[in-house]
Structures are given as structure tokens and as C-alpha cells.
Amino acid sequence: MTRVVDTHRQVFGSDPEGVWSAPGRVNLIGEHTDYNDGLVLPIALPQRTDAACSPRADDLLRVWSVQTDELVEVALADVGPGRPEGWAAYVAGVLWALRAAGHEVRGLDVTVDSAVPVGAGLSSSAALECAVGAAASDLFGLGLLADDAGRAALAAGCVRAENEVAGAPTGGMDQSAALLCRVDHALLLDCRSGATEHVPFDLASDGTASGHGTTAGDGSASGSGTESGDGAPSGHVLLVTDTRAEHSLNDGQYGERRSSCEQAAAELGVAALRDVDPKDLDDALARLSDDVLRRRTRHIVTEIARVRACVEALRAGDLAGVGRLFDASHASLRDDYEVSCAELDASVEAARGAGALGARMTGGGFGGSSIALLPAGAVDDAVRATTAAFAERGWREPRCFVVTAGVAAGRDA
Ligand code: GLA
């Protein structure tokens, strides 16, 4: 946070009015279900994007990124689909969407600094949108952070920024996670009704898991685990592996999956694949016109059922059950939905080989990150096994880090 303030002062010549931040996310389960009116279960990451902001009296937006060392300037009147291009679209798009929703929003000077790795499938773009959206809400007196209804409205604006200005046809999970998640809880979000439940996900407090640190991209995990009597770490942890196989959500594959789901829903005469009851799945599959649509539909319907089962398993403290659901989700995403890749499969297999209760790709896929539910004492083995598997194949060294469920977007200073 000091860095974003110092940089803001250097770039814009005065202190920011405040600093806001928003988290990246990992989805525990419920992948590609958000745009099918389904259920998702993300947690907010400890890794966040900071936005130091000062309001302007005119309608100019100036944004500096610490990561790219670049200043982008755009008049709000010039923001629209495809304008500006690149990362600044996520910032400008949010102001554009708030204006489109009837809010009085003026220009801003913004400095962004992100600890959420870009291209890792951890929703760095939603973190950027939501940090700026939180700042705009406070600075222009919109009051959207005051309650969950306001936060959901802000999330919807951030989704519009991403869909319409940045041109990525994503669903709404990432922005909802960044704005609605609570510390030590996973967010069960019904993407049709907008209903939410906060499901305890505090692996440290129930004696089944531990407090732990995160690591900075050096391929090792540190500080994980409480100590049991014999000095060995006890409990369980969630390990994220950023495969560094870069993914992009606006390269067509994501949109193609979305269209297939819409086509399947249309053929079945339902509003969304959410409406297919798991017990009628075989029937529904028999009515679809081709095998690709059958496999896509099977993934969505079974994945939504797995979210429900995972919530029950978490509530019952059944981590073995959670692990089995992770494994089933990964298989479904790999074989039926076809959004995994060799690096994700290898990271999942390495974690399992090191004793994970379960592991799966998380996020959109085609690269990005996987998650593994591991006994705390197996983390180092999992990191070693994953790193070795990647080195053997000549891939870039993956980044592994243990995460806990963090807090939603808000004002930091
Ligand atoms: C990306 C999108 C989300 C969601 C996931 C897959 O993260 O941004 O809306 O569709 O992929 O679950």
C-alpha cells in the first residue's frame, strides 16, 4: 500500500484521496456454471489489487499501472466498446458502466498496483474493476459498498465493463466474489437469483487445518501448518498452483463454450442449463443433437450438483468428501467441458501423488491455476513434485502458494 501511495504522489504530484483494494479469487467448485444461471463457491484471495485515487473536477480519467509503468489518459465521453484497449479498459469500463446506470461519476486520477498475478486465472481483471468501482462509489458518494444489494449492483457494473468495454464474455462470478466474499468463508452464490450464503471455510479454526503464510512466486510454500505435538504441521491447507500457462478469456474458446450451453438450453426448451434436473439428465442428453452439446450439458448439470454436495461436505467437516468432489470436477472439466490443458492436468496429478485429498483446475481454464486440498504436512512434497513434473517437461516453473479466504473489496486508507 505504501508503494501505491508513493507512486501516486510521484505520477500525479499529490497524495491520493484514499486507497481502495479488491481481492483475486479462487473458485472452490462450480466452474463455468455462472453463465448457466448455476451455483458457484469462490473464496476471496489474500492477494489484492490496490487503487490509489483522487477525484477530478473534469471528466478525464488518468490511470497509472505500477505493473506496466504506463499512463493511460481517456476522456470519459470517449469510453465505449473496445475503447480504451488493454488493461485500462477494466478501469475506464467501470466508470462508463456506473454512468450508464445513472450515477454521477466524474474523472479520476488512479494508480493501480496488483499482487494478483495477471493471466493466472485468479481474476486479476475483476480485482482491478472492483477496486476502482469501490473507489468511485466512495468518492462520488454512490453508497454502493454499504450493503450487499449495493455491492451486487456494483458487481453488475463491473461485469458490464468486462463484457462490453473489454470485450470478454465472462459470467458474473469473479466480480461477485471480489465484492461479496467474507473472511474465512466461501461464498455460495446462486447466479440466477443472486442469493448468497456464506459457508465457513476456515481451515484453521476447526482443528482440521492450520494457519499459514503465502509465498511470493519462488515455487516454495512456507509457514504452513500449526505444529502438532511432534513438531510436524497438522491440519489441511488449500494450495494454489499457478501453472503460468497463460490463459485469455477473450480468445474465442470461452465464448464458444458459452454459446454451446445456450444452444443446448434452447434445444431442451429451458431458459438455462440450470433448469435440467440431475435426475432427468439422461433424458435430456438423449434429446440433444450432437455429442459435444451432450458433454457440455453433462458437465454443467453435474457440476451444479457438485456445488451443492460440496457445501454439505464442508458444513459436515467432511474434507475427504470435498476432495472427491474436486477430483470429479476436474475430470468433468477435462473430459466433458474440455477446458483443461496439459499443465493443469499435470499439476493436479502431482498434488494427488503427494497426498492431496483432491485437486482441480480453477477458473476459466485453458491455462491458469489449479487448487489442491492437502494435509498441511504434504505441502512441501506437493510443491516439489509439481515443480519436478514441470521441469521434466520443459515448462516454466509453476508458482505454488497456500491461501486462506480473505475479505471483499473496500477502503484501506
Ligand atoms: C472465468 C469467468 C467467470 C467464470 C469462470 C469459470 O473466471 O470470468 O465468469 O465463468 O471463468 O467458472
Side-chain angles (χ1 to χ4, degrees):
M1 184 152 89
T2 335
R3 180 166 74 177
V4 80
V5 171
D6 289 348
T7 309
H8 191 85
R9 202 179 290 128
Q10 279 158 26
V11 172
F12 297 111
S14 61
D15 282 344
E17 179 93 9
V19 179
W20 289 259
S21 70
R25 62 96 190 92
V26 291
N27 190 18
L28 296 181
I29 200 160
E31 223 62 85
H32 288 271
T33 53
D34 58 352
Y35 53 84
N36 286 290
D37 280 1
L39 305 175
V40 294
L41 191 67
I43 59 168
L45 291 180
Q47 287 83 356
R48 302 175 75 85
T49 297
D50 292 335
C53 298
S54 310
R56 296 177 59 89
D58 59 16
D59 289 341
L60 187 65
L61 171 68
R62 301 194 293 175
V63 205
W64 176 269
S65 160
V66 171
Q67 275 61 51
T68 61
D69 257 348
E70 186 189 5
L71 183 70
V72 175
E73 285 194 21
V74 60
L76 293 186
D78 293 337
V79 178
R83 299 184 320 259
E85 291 186 335
W87 61 270
Y90 299 105
V91 177
V94 172
L95 302 186
W96 170 89
L98 288 172
R99 281 189 153 192
H103 296 294
E104 292 234 356
V105 168
R106 308 302 305 267
L108 284 177
D109 286 339
V110 185
T111 304
V112 292
D113 186 5
S114 185
V116 185
V118 172
L122 301 175
S123 290
S124 60
S125 53
L128 177 55
E129 291 152 7
C130 296
V132 171
S137 173
D138 280 353
L139 289 171
F140 300 115
L142 313 183
L144 297 173
L145 299 181
D147 56 24
D148 279 3
R151 285 172 172 267
L154 182 55
C158 292
V159 174
R160 281 199 73 185
E162 179 141 349
N163 291 171
E164 295 176 50
V165 177
T170 53
M173 166 173 68
D174 307 339
Q175 295 77 5
S176 297
L179 283 156
L180 294 168
C181 276
R182 295 194 186 155
V183 69
D184 294 334
H185 288 77
L187 174 75
L188 173 61
L189 172 69
D190 182 324
C191 298
R192 170 169 281 168
S193 67
T196 56
E197 276 177 54
H198 300 277
V199 181
F201 188 73
D202 179 7
L203 297 176
S205 75
D206 60 4
T208 57
S210 60
H212 30 259
T214 57
T215 61
D218 61 0
S220 67
S222 69
S224 52
T226 49
E227 300 292 312
S228 63
D230 60 4
S234 62
H236 292 85
V237 296
L238 190 70
L239 181 73
V240 174
T241 297
D242 169 8
T243 65
R244 300 175 75 202
E246 281 195 25
H247 87 146
S248 161
L249 293 176
N250 40 11
D251 73 351
Q253 286 283 348
Y254 184 96
E256 191 271 326
R257 293 300 180 284
R258 211 173 158 150
S259 313
S260 298
C261 290
E262 280 159 16
Q263 193 188 330
E267 287 188 14
L268 295 170
V270 291
L273 289 181
R274 153 63 173 285
D275 296 312
V276 178
D277 194 306
K279 69 177 177 356
D280 302 330
L281 179 59
D282 287 344
D283 239 30
L285 296 181
R287 285 161 50 214
L288 287 167
S289 62
D290 79 70
D291 192 49
V292 171
L293 293 188
R294 275 193 278 277
R295 285 185 286 126
R296 304 295 188 252
T297 301
R298 186 163 54 204
H299 167 70
I300 299 301
V301 174
T302 58
E303 184 77 353
I304 293 171
R306 280 187 289 270
V307 177
R308 297 186 203 279
C310 189
V311 167
E312 271 178 36
L314 280 172
R315 291 207 160 115
D318 174 15
L319 291 186
V322 172
R324 282 192 296 276
L325 291 160
F326 279 17
D327 287 346
S329 171
H330 186 79
S332 179
L333 287 156
R334 182 192 59 210
D335 302 337
D336 275 350
Y337 217 63
E338 297 180 287
V339 293
S340 189
C341 65
E343 290 89 342
L344 285 168
D345 293 344
S347 70
V348 158
E349 275 152 30
R352 284 183 197 143
L357 280 67
R360 58 181 293 274
M361 56 157 279
T362 187
F366 312 110
S369 296
S370 65
I371 52 174
L373 183 59
L374 282 157
V379 168
D380 291 344
D381 280 353
V383 173
R384 260 195 302 276
T386 309
T387 309
F390 276 49
E392 237 168 64
R393 293 164 172 86
W395 296 334
R396 289 207 278 173
E397 191 178 341
R399 295 193 178 114
C400 303
F401 46 95
V402 171
V403 298
T404 50
V407 296
R411 184 171 187 155
D412 295 332

